[in-house]
Amino acid sequence: MEFPFDLAPVLGDRFCVVDQHLRPAGRRGPAHRGDLEQQLRTVIDELGKASAKAQGLPSPVTSASRMETNRHVLYILRDTEGRGAPKGAVIGFLKVGYKKLFLLDRSGAHIEAEPLCVLDFYVHESLQRHGYGRELFHHMLQSERVEPWRLAVDRPSGKLLAFLHKHYGLEDAIPQVNNFVIFEGFFSNRPAPPPRRPPPKRPEEQIKPYSLSERDFLREEAEPPWPFNLSPARAGGSPVRGSLRPFLLRRDLEGGTDPVPPPRRSRWVPPAPRAFFPTWRGFASIFTPFSSLFCALFYPTFPPIPFPCSSLGRVGR
């Protein structure tokens, strides 16, 4: 795959390794650093589009933006001989990365692992079957220090499965419930996960009914005597009685006889309002100061001698 710019300052040697930092291999000073990074982004995006088209995918799985957001490693193989391209060309690329997966072994047991996964693999159509794919794959295995049967392949195509079977003898795939494919030997020499210990059982205790000791515990609770243990009266109603525990204690002390609760106190009733002139004595007491004036007006022969109203009857006689 050819590009309109020189690939030597962008990719460097024959094998270029790119991580999430997207650092180009060339060193031309800070003035040309931005141009090299933009050219590296263009190379990655075009390789991802070509790989998606070759595999029949609706969208590319490799791009510069995806590389920045994931801890993946991209191995790019460049044509340094310049056959037919004076500025160089890219032969193919291989993207790998570690992922946490839940896998099944031959017995069907679930095992949690974080293997190195082959995420995308592409060699240009005009350069396939020339040994470039094996050269690129072998360089990745040496750099990552991993055996081929330790790898997990994400949605491999028929060509990739045939490639792995031809060059590395991987043919016995272990079925998985996800899109990854692992081969026989993946779980060999792996430390078995420690068996989960069941939680310790609690000692079984005998369930006892309501015992006398609990009643003795209730007796020891301090409580004020009656009537201080009564709750406050409700508004507009009769007072609420307090706890019956003193009566139960009295019954237990007296030998089981039914206790007689204390008499209920009567409610205080305010007196009825008195009339203005309740009795004749009250009426006479009001007009006592005017008694002498009354006698002077109606009985002029008598001197105005003050006397109580109670003697008016005797005077008139």
Side-chain angles (χ1 to χ4, degrees):
M1 179 178 290
E2 301 179 4
F3 291 90
F5 46 84
D6 190 7
L7 294 178
V10 179
L11 302 180
D13 299 332
R14 182 174 178 82
F15 291 98
C16 177
V17 182
V18 182
D19 56 5
Q20 69 270 20
H21 300 291
L22 300 182
R23 295 174 180 173
R27 305 275 183 185
R28 290 189 177 181
H32 301 277
R33 190 72 177 179
D35 298 338
L36 296 180
E37 291 181 357
Q38 185 60 36
Q39 292 175 359
L40 179 60
R41 288 176 174 271
T42 303
V43 171
I44 296 175
D45 292 340
E46 294 298 327
L47 290 176
K49 293 178 182 178
S51 176
K53 183 179 179 180
Q55 300 180 46
L57 301 178
S59 60
V61 296
T62 301
S63 62
S65 59
R66 287 176 177 266
M67 289 292 299
E68 288 179 330
T69 56
N70 296 279
R71 301 185 62 179
H72 298 161
V73 180
L74 193 67
Y75 292 87
I76 302 176
L77 178 60
R78 185 175 70 90
D79 183 12
T80 56
E81 299 178 0
R83 294 187 294 264
K87 296 183 179 180
V90 175
I91 299 175
F93 74 95
L94 175 61
K95 185 174 72 170
V96 295
Y98 287 91
K99 286 184 174 293
K100 184 176 294 186
L101 304 175
F102 291 91
L103 304 174
L104 299 176
D105 58 4
R106 286 295 185 183
S107 61
H110 290 268
I111 298 177
E112 182 180 358
E114 192 173 359
L116 183 66
C117 303
V118 177
L119 304 176
D120 200 359
F121 187 26
Y122 170 73
V123 177
H124 195 266
E125 291 80 359
S126 62
L127 299 175
Q128 293 181 3
R129 299 184 182 276
H130 289 75
Y132 296 115
R134 182 180 180 180
E135 182 182 1
L136 179 59
F137 205 92
H138 183 70
H139 179 77
M140 181 273 299
L141 294 177
Q142 289 183 344
S143 300
E144 299 293 338
R145 297 179 181 180
V146 63
E147 300 294 337
W149 54 84
R150 301 287 190 188
L151 299 173
V153 187
D154 184 15
R155 289 175 294 185
S157 60
K159 292 183 178 181
L160 181 55
L161 292 177
F163 171 84
L164 296 175
H165 173 61
K166 177 181 179 181
H167 298 286
Y168 300 101
L170 303 177
E171 56 180 354
D172 296 332
I174 302 177
Q176 302 295 321
V177 295
N178 48 26
N179 296 324
F180 287 85
V181 174
I182 59 177
F183 297 93
E184 192 68 33
F186 180 84
F187 298 104
S188 62
N189 299 329
R190 286 182 179 269
R196 296 183 179 180
R197 297 181 179 179
K201 295 183 179 181
R202 296 182 179 179
E204 297 182 359
E205 299 180 357
Q206 184 180 2
I207 301 177
K208 298 180 180 181
Y210 186 67
S211 59
L212 296 178
S213 61
E214 296 180 359
R215 297 186 61 183
D216 295 337
F217 173 77
L218 294 176
R219 292 176 184 177
E220 295 177 0
E221 293 183 0
E223 186 177 358
W226 188 91
F228 299 102
N229 61 345
L230 299 179
S231 58
R234 293 174 295 182
S238 60
V240 181
R241 292 186 180 273
S243 175
L244 295 178
R245 189 173 302 163
F247 306 142
L248 297 177
L249 298 177
R250 186 184 307 173
R251 183 184 61 182
D252 296 340
L253 295 176
E254 294 178 1
T257 59
D258 296 336
V260 180
R264 183 177 177 181
R265 295 185 301 176
S266 60
R267 297 178 56 185
W268 178 80
V269 181
R274 302 178 63 181
F276 186 71
F277 301 109
T279 57
W280 167 255
R281 187 178 298 276
F283 179 78
S285 63
I286 296 175
F287 288 95
T288 299
F290 303 97
S291 59
S292 58
L293 179 62
F294 179 79
C295 294
L297 292 177
F298 292 97
Y299 300 95
T301 57
F302 293 92
I305 300 175
F307 51 89
C309 292
S310 59
S311 62
L312 287 177
R314 293 193 300 269
V315 173
R317 294 176 184 177

